[in-house]
Amino acid sequence: MEETVEDSPTSAVLLDHCHFSQVIFNSVEKFYVPGGDVTCYYTLTQQFIPRRKDWIGIFRVGWKTTREYYTFMWVSLPVDLNRDSAKQQEVQFKAYYLPKDDEYYQFCYVDQDGVVRGASIPFQFRPENEEDILVVTTQGEVEEIEQHNKELCKENRELKDTCVSLQKQNSDTQAELHKTQEELEILKSTAQKLEQEAKAQKDGWETELLQLKEQNQKMSSENEKMGVRVEQLQAQLSTREKEMEKLVQGDQDKTEQLERLNKENSQLLLTLTQQERQKELEQTVEETLKQEETTTLKKQQALKDENAGLSRKLSENKILYDALQKEKERLERENDLLKRENSRLLSYMGLDFDSLPYQVPTSDQGGAGQNPALIYGNPYSGIQESSAPSLLAVRKCPTCKSDFAGDILDFTSEQQRPQPLCLSCPICDKTFPAKEKQIFEDHVFCHSL
């Protein structure tokens, strides 16, 4: 039977809430023979629409609530509710579940809300033509039948008590089930909230991780740019050193040439003293030598000025190199801090930093082979950071964008350096005497206005 598959109805609707005229039972017998299946025929009126959880139960006459059914069967829905022929339905009760006594019973149609929509006339379960049969029994058989009837009655009462207890247990189970369902709904809502919070937190972590990756990539690109800039400066420094060497070599050549000219001059003087006849030639030679000496002195002074300018630019490049080296070290320290913060976040999320598609080059890799173009190495690599406080920040000219060092050397180094005879403006090439240094500085400052 279908009642073994699904839960039995437990509605407790009273008679006051019933509508018996909406379902009409047809062909109901006055009595049904025990031991056989019973088919119940019924008709649905136009005012009633059946639903899936409707059922038909067998009730003992005198019932008060729909819980007092003896047995029931789920009804099947019609195929087409609009046709009149489809409203004639039937349901079959198996003999095993039918009553065994001779009390009066009736069919009742109950919808899924527990409301009775129709009831049949009363009927009994007894043998056919019982009144026309003459039974001849002995006294012993009568006593045995009475004893058997008593046992059946006792068994019937026990079954009724068991049925009542089962119905009560079923109602308690239904209440517990309803309570469990409410708790389950609460747990589901709590789980959904927790999932939403976890998802929001995960999205926040992913956003922060992406930001850290972008910052890491930016710092890496800036570090690479600074490394390229340092290499360029080192290449420029090596080029300036080579030019300086060439200039020094040229100065030595000019000095040797001047010495040779002095020797020749002395020889000529000796020759002129011995030969009075060549006085006019001696005067001409002396004038020529004086002119050449003057020209040589001017060239030597120009070379000294150029040498001093190159020395000043070399000092400026050195200060710029030290400043860039400090900036690079500072960026490497910031990069290390970002890497440690990134590793901490990744370990908190259960990820591995080595599994990321991009790895930042370490500072050890950038320091070893930084400028392979320097054959003899960096001449300033041995300078310690302790000398850095004596150097000031590099300044840039607002007009020609040239790099200058503010107060490049201290007073001692200025005394040791040879003072130029004149000062030349780097913008308009106008020269000033060395003693008019303040006028020269004011002139250079006027170009920036």
Side-chain angles (χ1 to χ4, degrees):
M1 293 180 64
E2 291 182 322
E3 59 265 34
T4 61
V5 179
E6 301 184 32
D7 296 335
S8 60
T10 57
S11 58
V13 179
L14 300 177
L15 292 175
D16 297 337
H17 300 84
C18 299
H19 305 277
F20 294 160
S21 62
Q22 295 181 355
V23 178
I24 300 173
F25 290 92
N26 304 321
S27 304
V28 179
E29 303 293 340
K30 292 183 179 180
F31 63 90
Y32 293 94
V33 179
D37 298 339
V38 175
T39 302
C40 174
Y41 300 96
Y42 61 94
T43 302
L44 303 175
T45 61
Q46 295 181 356
Q47 294 81 12
F48 177 69
I49 299 176
R51 289 180 287 181
R52 189 175 62 87
K53 288 292 186 178
D54 294 352
W55 53 283
I56 294 177
I58 297 178
F59 291 81
R60 180 179 294 178
V61 176
W63 58 274
K64 300 296 183 181
T65 65
T66 56
R67 289 184 179 179
E68 298 179 9
Y69 62 89
Y70 186 87
T71 185
F72 77 98
M73 288 291 293
W74 298 108
V75 300
S76 59
L77 295 177
V79 178
D80 189 2
L81 298 176
N82 296 325
R83 296 174 55 188
D84 296 338
S85 59
K87 296 182 181 180
Q88 179 70 31
Q89 303 292 326
E90 65 179 36
V91 65
Q92 189 178 41
F93 292 89
K94 297 297 182 180
Y96 178 77
Y97 299 100
L98 295 176
K100 303 297 189 295
D101 55 7
D102 56 353
E103 296 290 337
Y104 284 94
Y105 294 89
Q106 65 180 155
F107 298 115
C108 291
Y109 188 102
V110 184
D111 62 7
Q112 67 179 14
D113 297 330
V115 179
V116 179
R117 299 296 181 175
S120 67
I121 61 175
F123 55 85
Q124 288 181 299
F125 293 94
R126 61 182 179 82
E128 188 177 1
N129 297 328
E130 184 179 357
E131 296 178 355
D132 299 335
I133 298 175
L134 179 61
V135 180
V136 179
T137 57
T138 61
Q139 184 67 28
E141 291 176 352
V142 171
E143 292 177 357
E144 184 178 355
I145 291 172
E146 290 179 354
Q147 183 65 28
H148 183 66
N149 289 332
K150 290 180 181 179
E151 292 177 356
L152 290 176
C153 291
K154 183 178 179 181
E155 184 179 357
N156 189 13
R157 286 193 298 272
E158 292 176 356
L159 289 174
K160 289 180 179 179
D161 295 337
T162 304
C163 183
V164 172
S165 63
L166 289 174
Q167 289 178 353
K168 183 179 180 181
Q169 185 178 358
N170 190 11
S171 62
D172 295 338
T173 305
Q174 289 290 334
E176 292 179 358
L177 179 61
H178 183 68
K179 183 178 180 181
T180 305
Q181 288 178 350
E182 291 179 352
E183 293 177 354
L184 181 61
E185 292 295 331
I186 295 173
L187 290 175
K188 285 182 179 179
S189 62
T190 305
Q192 290 178 354
K193 291 180 181 179
L194 291 175
E195 288 179 356
Q196 292 176 356
E197 292 177 357
K199 185 177 180 181
Q201 189 174 10
K202 184 179 179 181
D203 293 338
W205 287 346
E206 291 178 353
T207 305
E208 186 176 359
L209 181 60
L210 291 175
Q211 292 177 356
L212 289 175
K213 286 182 179 179
E214 292 177 356
Q215 292 179 1
N216 194 3
Q217 291 178 357
K218 290 180 180 178
M219 293 300 295
S220 300
S221 62
E222 291 179 359
N223 193 6
E224 291 177 357
K225 291 179 181 178
M226 292 299 295
V228 172
R229 178 60 179 169
V230 170
E231 292 177 358
Q232 293 176 353
L233 290 175
Q234 287 179 351
Q236 293 178 2
L237 183 61
S238 63
T239 305
R240 296 293 176 83
E241 288 177 351
K242 291 179 181 179
E243 293 177 356
M244 185 69 182
E245 291 176 357
K246 291 180 180 179
L247 291 174
V248 172
Q249 186 66 31
D251 192 10
Q252 292 178 357
D253 295 338
K254 295 293 183 181
T255 304
E256 292 176 358
Q257 185 178 3
L258 181 62
E259 290 177 356
R260 287 195 302 269
L261 291 173
N262 289 330
K263 289 180 181 180
E264 292 177 358
N265 189 14
S266 61
Q267 291 176 359
L268 289 173
L269 287 174
L270 291 174
T271 304
L272 289 173
T273 55
Q274 293 176 359
Q275 298 177 0
E276 295 178 356
R277 292 176 299 178
Q278 298 179 356
K279 288 183 179 180
E280 294 177 358
L281 179 63
E282 182 180 358
Q283 291 177 356
T284 305
V285 170
E286 286 179 357
E287 291 176 359
T288 304
L289 289 175
K290 287 181 180 179
Q291 291 177 358
E292 290 180 355
E293 185 178 1
T294 303
T295 305
T296 304
L297 289 174
K298 289 182 179 180
K299 291 182 179 179
Q300 187 177 7
Q301 184 63 37
L303 290 174
K304 287 182 179 180
D305 294 339
E306 187 176 2
N307 190 8
L310 291 175
S311 299
R312 186 166 58 255
K313 289 184 178 180
L314 181 62
S315 300
E316 294 173 357
N317 290 333
K318 178 182 176 182
I319 294 171
L320 179 61
Y321 173 77
D322 292 338
L324 291 174
Q325 190 69 23
K326 290 181 181 180
E327 182 66 16
K328 179 184 177 183
E329 292 175 356
R330 183 184 67 80
L331 292 174
E332 287 177 351
R333 288 195 297 271
E334 292 179 358
N335 192 13
D336 292 337
L337 290 175
L338 288 175
K339 285 170 62 179
R340 287 196 293 270
E341 182 65 17
N342 194 5
S343 301
R344 182 183 69 78
L345 291 175
L346 288 174
S347 61
Y348 184 73
M349 293 182 66
L351 299 177
D352 189 5
F353 184 76
D354 295 333
S355 64
L356 292 177
Y358 179 79
Q359 293 295 330
V360 181
T362 59
S363 61
D364 296 334
Q365 296 176 355
Q370 202 167 24
N371 190 3
L374 296 178
I375 300 175
Y376 299 101
N378 188 357
Y380 302 104
S381 61
I383 299 176
Q384 302 295 328
E385 291 183 0
S386 59
S387 64
S390 64
L391 302 176
L392 298 178
V394 177
R395 297 178 183 176
K396 183 172 290 187
C397 178
T399 304
C400 63
K401 305 300 180 181
S402 300
D403 294 334
F404 297 93
D407 297 332
I408 300 173
L409 300 176
D410 56 5
F411 179 76
T412 304
S413 62
E414 288 181 357
Q415 287 181 346
Q416 294 176 357
R417 188 179 61 189
Q419 297 293 331
L421 297 177
C422 61
L423 301 175
S424 178
C425 179
I427 300 173
C428 65
D429 296 332
K430 186 178 181 180
T431 58
F432 297 86
K435 61 183 180 180
E436 296 179 357
K437 183 178 180 181
Q438 184 62 38
I439 299 174
F440 167 74
E441 291 179 351
D442 294 337
H443 173 74
V444 173
F445 179 73
C446 289
H447 284 293
S448 63
L449 298 178

